[in-house]
Amino acid sequence: MSGITIRTLKLKKLVCLCRKFTSSAALLEGPAIEYGANHGKLEALQLVRNPANLRGLTFIESKAAHALLLRCGVIYSDVHAANKLLDAYTECSRMDYAFKLFEEIPLRNGVTWNLMILGCNQNSLFDDAWRVYCRMHNMGVGMDEFTYGSVLSACGALEHIARGKQIYGFVLKNGFFTNGYVRAGMINLFTRSCMVEDALRVLYDVHCEDVVHCWIFKIGLYLDPVVKASLINTYSKVGSIDLSEIEFAEAQDLKQVGVWANMISSFVHSENYEKAIILFQRMLKEGITPDKYIASSILSLIDSLTLGRQVHGYALKVGLVSEVSVGSSIFTMYSKCGDLEESLKAFEQLEWKDNVSWTSMIAGLAKHGCADKAVQMFRQMEFENSVPDGKILATILNSCSALHSLKLGRETHGFALRCGFAEQTIIDEALVNMYSKCGDPNSAKIVFQAMPFKDQVSWSSLISGFAQRGYIDEALRLFHDMLLSGMTVDAFTISLLHGALAILSTPGIGTPLHAYIIKKGIESETSIGSSLVMMYSECGSIGDCGKVFQEIKDPDLVSWTTMITSYARHGKGLEALQLFDLMKESGIEPDAVTFVGVLSACSHTGLVEEGYFHLNSMIRDYGIEPGYNHYACMVDLLGRAGRLEEAQRFIVNMPIEPDTVVWGTLLAACKVHGNHELGRLAVEKIKELQPSGAGAYVSVSNIWAEAGEWEHVLKIRGSMKETGIRKKEPGWSSI
């Protein structure tokens, strides 16, 4: 047996030892270090530098090899071996370890940087790919066509045209424009950004002719199905789907499934979903059995439950559901169609679940409002000894945000720190969001300040956290810092600030912010306009509310409802009702919140019959069941009109059990009109619902006092003392 074969077997033995004694990646270094010490640097170097030894390694095997290289000092002396290990980590989707290794390599070359950018792309960490490129550029590292092509792919995935054009300038300057890989990246960027003319210009504006296709035609390989499939794929990647269709139409041997697979994949990639499904149906009619790639592609674009079930049934029939990619696509399809029960069934039936499967299932649960089930699924994943990655942890942190569970969020943060994931950008962004939404903006700020790169979402989350907790000064300081950082301020961030200002009723700050909005020319945006209306309404500036509302280019339901409610609150009931009619004429259907504003407007205007009409219209015309707020508005309307007995009958006939708010509204009307008997009835009902509440006792005491029945007043107060109910302490001042 040759020496290299023996060494290869020794490495395999090392891996087997690691697997035998522990499944924890943190404990794998011991056997590896011992092996390196016993066999020396030269043998270790020969082992790990053989490409066959580092190709297709699992994460556990990569970790063992990493420890071996560290112990022998190979990482510090041989960049070729370090690059091989870096590539192994990226193939295992363990970018946290890839980044750590990247920082350990002292003598990085261009391949090292390119592998890092490519690995980020392969694991959908496109922001990180851009940041690695920026570091590479700032350090003056030489770049080649692979660098530019990879970073252009990242810009395309992010649809960040400004960054892409910046790279385009370097491409032209450094003479890489004619490279096919670079051109494909540019075309992908432009097509994703709907800049078709620019994409075509890149495609055709090339000084040297691309002779690849002509050469294939010349040597007679043009009709070979494998070559044909490659041509279809090539034209698709450079954005020429029409040429892909021509190649498919000219194919003579359509029995080869690869030709169909590449054409369907090309349609999916170019978002021609209808053509992809039609071609899939044609394929079945011609008796061609699809492979796992075709089945996965078709399932990935289906958003119809009926069609999805049909494809699922066919996949069962031909035995494709055992493939991980097909099984994952099936439960993802059900999740996308809103059938979480079927999605979970399909997930449980998978024979083997990889990280992509777990991530898709957990993300699907979180997306459809089942954050608690997403957390349970994460715990099940740990129980089955699957190692979570950054995407899964980010999804769980977002689920903690939805559940407003600070405790669970902190536990997940600790888990991320323990597993070495905390430095990933996707984790940091989710942590800032979680702490902000769970009411701990100070912790969010600590994480935010430690982030090397701060994006718009993180800024907005942090500002939102402080604003919603009432720390408006800190929110404004962060907003100012965001402006100074050169970050683009979006409508969402500004709306958050206005919402906080509305709650605090601080027009002195809101007016300068309004001026900034006008300066930026975004006052017509719907979300901003709605927040301005709310702010001026809370501050009592109903005239400014109307002016701002008129500036909104395309008001949505929230904008209309906010304006209607503002009019109603400020006693402009007729204006509110007129605006409600205009809203319906514009094609916007009201919701339950809108009707609260409408009924409130009727109440302030004394329009009893109109109130009944709109209450009945909720059910009859829009299928909205009235809630307590709607019924309380009607009781208030009847009470203001002095129709107290009618209000009592209305309460008794309510389809839902009246609560303290409804009875309290009647009680307030009884006080105004001096109806002591009905007021006492309302008080008794409130006492039944809240036996320990002091408010009901005080109210009935006041009613008896107004009627001059002082004996009853003394009885009520004596009853309060006996039951231990205390009156609210009066307010006082130290001034």
Side-chain angles (χ1 to χ4, degrees), residues 335 338-345 347-348 357-382 392 395-400 402-403 405 408:
S335 175
D339 193 338
L340 291 182
E341 185 177 349
E342 286 297 325
S343 180
L344 283 168
K345 284 182 182 178
F347 177 78
E348 294 297 338
S357 305
W358 285 105
T359 303
S360 298
M361 191 67 249
I362 291 172
L365 291 168
K367 182 180 179 181
H368 288 85
C370 300
D372 52 342
K373 291 184 179 180
V375 174
Q376 291 174 7
M377 181 70 69
F378 174 66
R379 287 172 175 158
Q380 179 184 341
M381 177 185 181
E382 291 184 279
I392 294 177
T395 302
I396 293 302
L397 286 168
N398 290 330
S399 298
C400 297
L403 294 170
S405 174
L408 183 59

Side-chain angles (χ1 to χ4, degrees), residues 431-448:
L431 283 169
V432 172
N433 180 57
M434 182 274 294
Y435 280 122
S436 298
K437 288 186 176 178
C438 292
D440 189 0
N442 291 318
S443 294
K445 188 176 181 181
I446 292 172
V447 176
F448 178 80

Side-chain angles (χ1 to χ4, degrees), residues 495 498-499 502 523-537 545 548-549 552 554-563 566:
S495 300
H498 276 131
E523 67 275 12
S524 63
E525 291 194 21
T526 306
S527 60
I528 290 181
S530 299
S531 63
L532 282 170
V533 170
M534 186 184 298
M535 182 194 72
Y536 283 122
S537 174
C545 285
V548 171
F549 182 78
I552 301 176
D554 188 20
D556 60 1
L557 176 60
V558 175
S559 306
W560 287 101
T561 301
T562 304
M563 194 65 229
S566 299

Side-chain angles (χ1 to χ4, degrees), residues 204-500:
Y204 295 116
D205 186 19
V206 185
H207 298 296
C208 62
E209 293 294 331
D210 190 346
V211 298
V212 176
H213 191 167
C214 295
W215 178 75
I216 290 171
F217 189 86
K218 182 178 179 180
I219 63 174
L221 291 175
Y222 180 70
L223 297 178
D224 185 279
V226 177
V227 176
K228 180 66 70 175
S230 298
L231 284 170
I232 292 170
N233 186 46
T234 299
Y235 282 124
S236 171
K237 285 186 175 180
V238 298
S240 298
I241 188 67
D242 54 336
L243 295 179
S244 295
E245 290 186 79
I246 292 172
E247 291 302 317
F248 180 79
E250 293 178 349
Q252 295 182 359
D253 185 4
L254 288 179
K255 296 297 181 182
Q256 293 292 329
V257 71
V259 178
W260 294 88
N262 277 275
M263 194 65 246
I264 290 174
S265 177
S266 298
F267 281 137
V268 173
H269 183 264
S270 61
E271 299 182 359
N272 290 319
Y273 301 147
E274 186 177 355
K275 286 187 176 182
I277 292 174
I278 291 172
L279 190 61
F280 176 68
Q281 292 171 335
R282 177 187 161 190
M283 178 183 182
L284 297 180
K285 288 179 181 178
E286 296 192 14
I288 308 298
T289 303
D291 60 10
K292 62 180 181 181
Y293 303 106
I294 296 176
S296 300
S297 296
I298 292 297
L299 285 164
S300 69
L301 57 88
I302 291 176
D303 56 6
S304 166
L305 201 55
T306 302
L307 180 60
R309 283 173 175 159
Q310 291 175 353
V311 178
H312 183 188
Y314 182 82
L316 280 169
K317 180 180 177 181
V318 298
L320 286 173
V321 290
S322 59
E323 297 286 347
V324 177
S325 60
V326 177
S328 298
S329 298
I330 288 171
F331 75 73
T332 302
M333 177 273 296
Y334 280 121
S335 175
K336 185 167 59 174
C337 295
D339 193 338
L340 291 182
E341 185 177 349
E342 286 297 325
S343 180
L344 283 168
K345 284 182 182 178
F347 177 78
E348 294 297 338
Q349 289 171 359
L350 286 178
E351 295 180 5
W352 180 73
K353 304 176 181 71
D354 59 4
N355 267 20
V356 175
S357 305
W358 285 105
T359 303
S360 298
M361 191 67 249
I362 291 172
L365 291 168
K367 182 180 179 181
H368 288 85
C370 300
D372 52 342
K373 291 184 179 180
V375 174
Q376 291 174 7
M377 181 70 69
F378 174 66
R379 287 172 175 158
Q380 179 184 341
M381 177 185 181
E382 291 184 279
F383 181 76
E384 295 188 11
N385 294 324
S386 294
V387 181
D389 57 14
K391 293 180 185 178
I392 294 177
L393 288 175
T395 302
I396 293 302
L397 286 168
N398 290 330
S399 298
C400 297
S401 303
L403 294 170
H404 298 286
S405 174
L406 183 60
K407 179 178 180 294
L408 183 59
R410 284 174 173 163
E411 291 174 357
T412 309
H413 188 183
F415 182 83
L417 288 169
R418 191 164 64 251
C419 296
F421 289 108
E423 295 179 0
Q424 289 190 14
T425 303
I426 189 174
I427 297 291
D428 288 339
E429 291 171 354
L431 283 169
V432 172
N433 180 57
M434 182 274 294
Y435 280 122
S436 298
K437 288 186 176 178
C438 292
D440 189 0
N442 291 318
S443 294
K445 188 176 181 181
I446 292 172
V447 176
F448 178 80
Q449 289 175 333
M451 291 173 63
F453 303 99
K454 303 170 178 63
D455 64 359
Q456 191 179 65
V457 175
S458 300
W459 280 103
S460 297
S461 297
L462 189 61
I463 292 171
S464 169
F466 280 104
Q468 291 177 354
R469 298 290 292 180
Y471 302 118
I472 191 63
D473 290 339
E474 182 63 25
L476 288 170
R477 275 194 293 270
L478 287 167
F479 178 70
H480 182 256
D481 292 341
M482 185 177 182
L483 293 176
L484 292 178
S485 71
M487 188 69 63
T488 303
V489 181
D490 60 356
F492 175 71
T493 306
I494 297 176
S495 300
L496 287 171
L497 286 173
H498 276 131

